[in-house]
Amino acid sequence: MQIHSQRVKKTITIIGGGLAGAEAAYQIAKSGVAVDLFEMRPQVMTEAHGSDSLAEMVCSNSLGSEEITSASGLLKRELRMLDSFFLRSAEKARVPAGSSLSVDRLHLAASITAELEAMPGIRIIRQEIREIPAGGMPLVIASGPLTSPAFAQALSGLTLRKNLYFYDATCPLIRAESIDFSKLFAASRYEKGEADFLNIPLDREPYESFVMNLVGAEPEQARDFEKQIFFDACLPIEEIARRGMQSLAFGPLKPVGLVDPRTGARPYAAVQLRQDDLKKHFFQLVGFQTRLKHGDQKRIFRTLPGLENAEFERFGRMHRNTYINAPLIINQFSQCKKDSRIYFAGQISGVEGYVESVASGLLCGLFAVRGEPRSPLPETTAIGALLSYIAHAGWQDFRPSKFTFGLLADSGVECRDKKRKKELKAERACEALQQWIKRSAI
Ligand SMILES: Cc1cc2nc3c(=O)[nH]c(=O)nc-3n(C[C@H](O)[C@H](O)[C@H](O)COP(=O)(O)OP(=O)(O)OC[C@H]3O[C@@H](n4cnc5c(N)ncnc54)[C@H](O)[C@@H]3O)c2cc1C
């Protein structure tokens, strides 16, 4: 794939030179269109970035497994097929880490910055954007989870304030096929409405041992700037447990208004599960936002009756995160429904994670260059499934999402062996993407 040398006809503005913005800038410039890339650092720093480099990974140095049967492995395979600049640079900054791709973060960011600075067609402007730029040219908003407050304020005018979120307090999501429903009963508190919740009844002893498990587990350390989130939003479940043996039984596990039809009695405490999607593939553990490590979440939540073999589609989490209510705001091209010149890329668009943010930036770059009409990515590909999911998920309870194999349809790849099934889905994804690339002449 060559950098085109055709005359520049338009300029695309990108706000934010992080993982998504840097990838989008490269893709746009490669196709011969000029880019103005606005990055506010170093004049205005975020709470997490430590340098003035573009595409700085702010925390872990891992980009996940390379195995094609892992979610991040498949995403990376697709990104390579799409000529991802970030991934190519990451290869050069690789550090030994077994079968996963880990990098020297600062070296990677510095080399990406140098390459983009030298690339024809890209102008990097170190300035905080505080208003949505006017004009008819395409605009890619990639200001990330730590978008500056002034720009967030401007964005809330576009998205309506209620559709722009500033933190992410997410409950774990469990795959339906891994739940033993025979140990749960369906009921809503005080029999209000349909029996929308599934309840795990707990006697005193298992309840207390659950609380002790939570109290004994070690949560991820909150950064200073995130601590306020707990008070602004809601407390992590382990923090509630720490406030006293009964606090969960008076909080998210309160049994009031619930009667177990099998005993005719009110349980001592009850954990509630709510369906997450129309097809009932996933169930949320209600009120279980948490900062516990993934291993501890798995270990502790699997002690609950019915969840002994629970498979987690997503773990619970809590951190500062600016993101839009994607299903209301954007279509599957990540394009703003209200103003079609605007694209949202990276974490602010409702995807979650380094690799997902790069993928979103790459596609936004391509979409912004092409304009309309264009053909959507097949939903059998990892990136296509992710973009489609965030554009069509339930808006009432929307949370940023990583790519998981659960987002790829099972039809056509039914297979009992889970690893083989993933292999089949991965093969199908790569074939579909190859055809899309050919069709779209990328
Ligand atoms: C503290 C923290 C830790 C994380 N750790 C991980 C992790 O370990 N693994 C993982 O997979 N994901 C992690 N994430 C999630 C996510 O993958 C990263 O935040 C990722 O960098 C998102 O990419 P992005 O391009 O959307 O945003 P960013 O990479 O943050 O880029 C946004 C850029 O926009 C700039 N900007 C913001 N506002 C303005 C403005 N008004 N004008 C101009 N520029 C602006 C910022 O300075 C920044 O450079 C973490 C997120 C946070 C907040």
Side-chain angles (χ1 to χ4, degrees):
M1 294 190 200
Q2 301 265 309
I3 294 176
H4 299 189
S5 57
Q6 70 196 53
R7 271 174 66 90
V8 169
K9 296 192 186 84
K10 62 178 177 182
T11 299
I12 296 179
T13 299
I14 301 176
I15 301 172
L19 272 63
E23 180 70 50
Y26 174 85
Q27 298 298 334
I28 295 167
K30 192 182 83 175
S31 60
V33 175
V35 179
D36 279 349
L37 173 60
F38 286 88
E39 170 52 56
M40 67 179 183
R41 289 176 291 122
Q43 280 102 333
V44 181
M45 293 298 284
T46 76
E47 309 92 319
H49 288 82
S51 78
D52 64 359
S53 292
L54 305 176
E56 180 186 332
M57 291 158 67
V58 287
C59 186
S60 154
N61 71 335
S62 174
L63 293 161
S65 169
E66 289 282 26
E67 306 278 343
I68 195 158
T69 48
S70 75
S72 72
L74 177 57
L75 258 187
K76 288 198 286 293
R77 176 73 65 93
E78 292 188 3
L79 279 171
R80 288 185 179 110
M81 291 171 71
L82 287 161
D83 186 35
S84 164
F85 163 62
F86 180 88
L87 270 195
R88 204 168 350 105
S89 311
E91 295 291 350
K92 295 181 204 150
R94 194 172 194 139
V95 297
S99 65
S100 54
L101 174 57
S102 293
V103 295
D104 178 327
R105 293 182 311 116
L106 296 181
H107 172 72
L108 171 61
S111 77
I112 285 180
T113 308
E115 211 170 317
L116 289 183
E117 278 171 349
M119 193 162 171
I122 298 184
R123 199 157 60 116
I124 298 170
I125 303 146
R126 301 287 183 164
Q127 182 190 322
E128 179 193 11
I129 297 294
R130 300 170 69 89
E131 296 293 335
I132 296 173
M137 290 290 182
L139 173 66
V140 177
I141 296 176
S143 47
L146 305 173
T147 291
S148 72
F151 189 53
Q153 176 72 27
L155 279 179
S156 63
L158 176 75
T159 59
L160 296 185
R161 200 185 140 75
K162 65 180 183 336
N163 293 319
L164 184 68
Y165 303 105
F166 299 97
Y167 63 87
D168 180 5
T170 299
C171 304
L173 210 56
I174 297 176
R175 288 188 203 126
E177 76 262 17
S178 67
I179 300 172
D180 180 354
F181 291 101
S182 69
K183 297 184 179 169
L184 283 56
F185 68 93
S188 289
R189 286 210 166 86
Y190 303 110
E191 297 177 359
K192 276 189 192 150
E194 302 288 312
D196 289 336
F197 292 87
L198 292 173
N199 301 278
I200 302 178
L202 293 177
D203 290 335
R204 182 179 188 141
E205 204 179 304
Y207 166 78
E208 290 186 353
S209 102
F210 180 66
V211 172
M212 294 309 291
N213 272 330
L214 286 174
V215 170
E218 192 196 332
E220 302 272 11
Q221 280 310 306
R223 298 179 183 222
D224 284 345
F225 67 86
E226 289 180 326
K227 287 188 180 141
Q228 186 61 29
I229 291 170
F230 300 160
F231 302 101
D232 290 347
C234 37
L235 288 171
I237 188 161
E238 63 278 9
E239 185 57 36
I240 303 176
R242 249 178 232 117
R243 295 184 173 194
M245 185 53 86
Q246 293 310 312
S247 38
L248 280 174
F250 282 95
L253 272 66
K254 67 175 178 285
V256 289
L258 290 171
V259 175
D260 185 342
R262 292 161 305 185
T263 60
R266 183 171 106 170
Y268 186 79
V271 173
Q272 294 204 299
L273 279 81
R274 182 176 47 215
Q275 95 183 54
D276 186 67
D277 58 324
L278 279 175
K279 293 180 187 159
K280 294 193 179 177
H281 284 165
F282 310 118
F283 284 82
Q284 268 191 41
L285 281 171
V286 180
F288 273 46
Q289 58 277 353
T290 174
R291 294 191 62 92
L292 293 182
K293 295 184 172 143
H294 293 181
D296 283 336
Q297 292 190 39
K298 213 187 232 181
R299 178 177 59 80
I300 297 170
F301 301 154
R302 278 184 177 176
T303 63
L304 293 167
L307 302 190
E308 294 84 352
N309 299 308
E311 284 179 24
F312 291 79
E313 178 67 11
R314 176 186 78 199
F315 287 99
R317 57 178 182 245
M318 287 192 82
H319 58 84
R320 166 141 134 74
N321 193 5
T322 312
Y323 65 98
I324 55 170
N325 191 338
L328 291 180
I329 307 296
I330 54 176
N331 62 22
Q332 72 204 87
F333 298 101
S334 299
Q335 189 175 26
C336 182
K337 293 179 192 172
K338 212 162 120 186
D339 184 343
S340 63
R341 84 195 159 98
I342 298 180
Y343 295 80
F344 282 90
Q347 190 107 347
I348 197 167
S349 74
V351 301
E352 164 80 27
Y354 292 151
V355 184
E356 283 81 353
S357 295
V358 172
S360 158
L362 191 152
L363 266 301
C364 272
L366 296 182
F367 293 148
V369 165
R370 263 144 210 272
E372 294 171 68
R374 2 155 227 219
S375 79
L377 272 166
E379 290 182 24
T380 46
T381 63
I383 305 178
L386 179 65
L387 295 188
S388 172
Y389 174 76
I390 62 166
H392 300 123
W395 61 269
Q396 294 92 338
D397 201 16
F398 178 72
R399 293 284 190 279
S401 182
K402 288 184 98 60
F403 165 68
T404 70
F405 271 83
L407 293 182
L408 298 176
D410 284 345
S411 53
V413 289
E414 287 89 1
C415 177
R416 274 170 176 262
D417 180 333
K418 283 187 190 162
K419 181 143 192 237
R420 181 67 194 135
K421 190 166 162 184
K422 285 184 175 173
E423 274 168 10
L424 291 171
K425 283 186 174 181
E427 283 164 18
R428 182 179 65 180
C430 294
E431 273 165 32
L433 183 59
Q434 196 57 57
Q435 284 167 16
W436 184 83
I437 290 172
K438 226 188 234 171
R439 253 196 335 270
S440 312
I442 287 164

